[in-house]
Amino acid sequence: MKEKNSATANHRPVTPHTILSKTLSTLQEKMEAAGSQPELLDLVQQSIDLISPLDDYLLTQTSPASDALNELEMHSNNVDWDSAFAKAETGLHLEKEMLSGAVEGQFLQLLAAVSNAKNVLEIGSFTGYASLAIAEALPADGKLIACEFDRFTADFARKQLNRSEHGHKVEIRVGDALETIADLSLEKQIFDFIFIDADKQNYTAYYEGVMDQGLLKKGGIVCVDNTLYQGQAYKNGTTTANGDAVKAFNNTVANDSRVQQVLLPLRDGLTVIRRL
């Protein structure tokens, strides 16, 4: 078995699990400094013991990623993303936490395999981790079209994909994904499997674009990442524009009679949608 990296090492907390774990650790420190009662500290410790190891345990119980995926993840984590952000033509904020990661990557790969996907569309590819994970499950003549808005990350992804024997299955189209969706519709492209993981405020537009323009076959699968969005999709209190956009997207899917869907608490939320 290949050695597996920690799911949380050196990463900013951006999922409900990791945010809660960080919050509990901070609470514990403050309670200890304030001399809180031992029984209260024990309850906090029990909560930390329950939530903090979860992501790493999921990683140990998931099939290991390929050497090519591990190498891609390593190179992505080694990028100075603050500097890369300055180079980005789009002005988008870039950070290593945008990488899908091993557990989600293996889940996407498994779904692509069991659905016998051959033609795949990805909206938002970042450094190509999910692209490669899915491509590894495609047949030799399978094809994945990845939409990426930023030239810097697209070029980085292409370089990493070229290191893999499956990289040739991936075509990266740089530009506005809504325009690419329109182009694909004109090309009469139909996809078995679609993965959406791009700017959150356009989630509904991407979803409606692929559904309304007939890009997803009947029985086809759409996976959408970050549909819990740091808990903002369901918790009370202040939300960001991205959180509001994700909540609106979730409601759109829940009220769409054309599909069957389930929202999984995997990482930052992953919705799996089947076209009826």
Side-chain angles (χ1 to χ4, degrees):
M1 179 181 292
K2 297 183 181 71
E3 183 178 351
K4 304 182 183 185
N5 297 323
S6 170
T8 56
N10 301 315
H11 283 270
R12 182 172 65 86
V14 293
T15 70
H17 287 155
T18 56
I19 292 170
L20 177 58
S21 178
K22 176 65 175 177
T23 300
L24 286 170
S25 294
T26 301
L27 175 63
Q28 183 184 52
E29 292 172 1
K30 292 183 178 296
M31 290 178 66
E32 288 175 343
S36 296
Q37 297 178 12
E39 58 268 27
L40 296 179
L41 286 169
D42 184 59
L43 288 173
V44 174
Q45 185 62 55
Q46 289 179 42
S47 300
I48 291 173
D49 291 343
L50 181 65
I51 194 68
S52 293
L54 178 58
D55 283 348
D56 283 340
Y57 182 71
L58 294 177
L59 184 61
T60 67
Q61 301 304 307
T62 297
S63 297
S66 66
D67 290 337
L69 281 169
N70 287 332
E71 185 176 5
L72 192 158
E73 181 175 12
M74 178 191 69
H75 286 295
S76 298
N77 287 337
N78 287 339
V79 171
D80 179 354
W81 286 110
D82 288 336
S83 175
F85 175 46
K87 296 176 185 176
E89 298 174 358
T90 57
L92 296 175
H93 180 65
L94 307 173
E95 57 183 0
K96 63 185 178 182
E97 285 79 16
M98 292 178 173
L99 196 83
S100 298
V103 174
E104 186 173 333
Q106 289 301 295
F107 184 74
L108 293 170
Q109 188 176 104
L110 187 151
L111 276 183
V114 299
S115 63
N116 295 314
K118 183 176 180 181
N119 297 306
V120 178
L121 174 64
E122 181 184 23
I123 300 174
S125 63
F126 190 44
T127 59
Y129 188 93
S131 310
L132 181 56
I134 296 170
E136 290 180 349
L138 300 182
D141 59 345
K143 184 68 174 290
L144 183 150
I145 296 177
C147 305
E148 175 52 49
F149 197 48
D150 179 65
R151 171 63 66 179
F152 175 84
T153 50
D155 290 344
F156 183 93
R158 182 73 268 164
K159 181 180 178 181
Q160 302 307 313
L161 290 166
N162 287 344
R163 300 173 185 268
S164 167
E165 61 179 313
H166 300 280
H168 70 279
K169 302 175 187 175
V170 179
E171 173 192 346
I172 301 176
R173 298 197 185 188
V174 181
D176 187 325
L178 291 173
E179 295 178 4
T180 302
I181 288 170
D183 291 342
L184 293 170
S185 179
L186 291 174
E187 296 169 17
K188 307 297 184 183
Q189 299 254 19
I190 298 179
F191 298 93
D192 310 307
F193 188 96
I194 297 174
F195 179 45
I196 301 175
D197 184 16
D199 56 300
K200 312 312 168 197
Q201 294 184 46
N202 272 319
Y203 262 23
T204 299
Y206 296 142
Y207 173 75
E208 292 179 341
V210 300
M211 293 294 291
D212 295 345
Q213 297 184 55
L215 294 185
L216 181 68
K217 75 173 186 180
K218 290 183 179 179
I221 300 293
V222 180
C223 285
V224 188
D225 200 12
N226 303 113
T227 47
L228 292 179
Y229 201 74
Q230 303 174 14
Q232 292 183 33
Y234 60 87
K235 72 177 185 179
N236 295 323
T238 303
T239 58
T240 62
N242 282 347
D244 291 338
V246 168
K247 184 181 294 187
F249 165 77
N250 290 343
N251 289 335
T252 294
V253 175
N255 290 300
D256 189 348
S257 62
R258 297 171 295 180
V259 301
Q260 175 188 18
Q261 77 285 342
V262 59
L263 198 168
L264 303 172
L266 172 60
R267 202 166 179 261
D268 196 27
L270 185 73
T271 299
V272 182
I273 304 163
R274 181 175 69 96
R275 182 162 197 163
L276 301 175

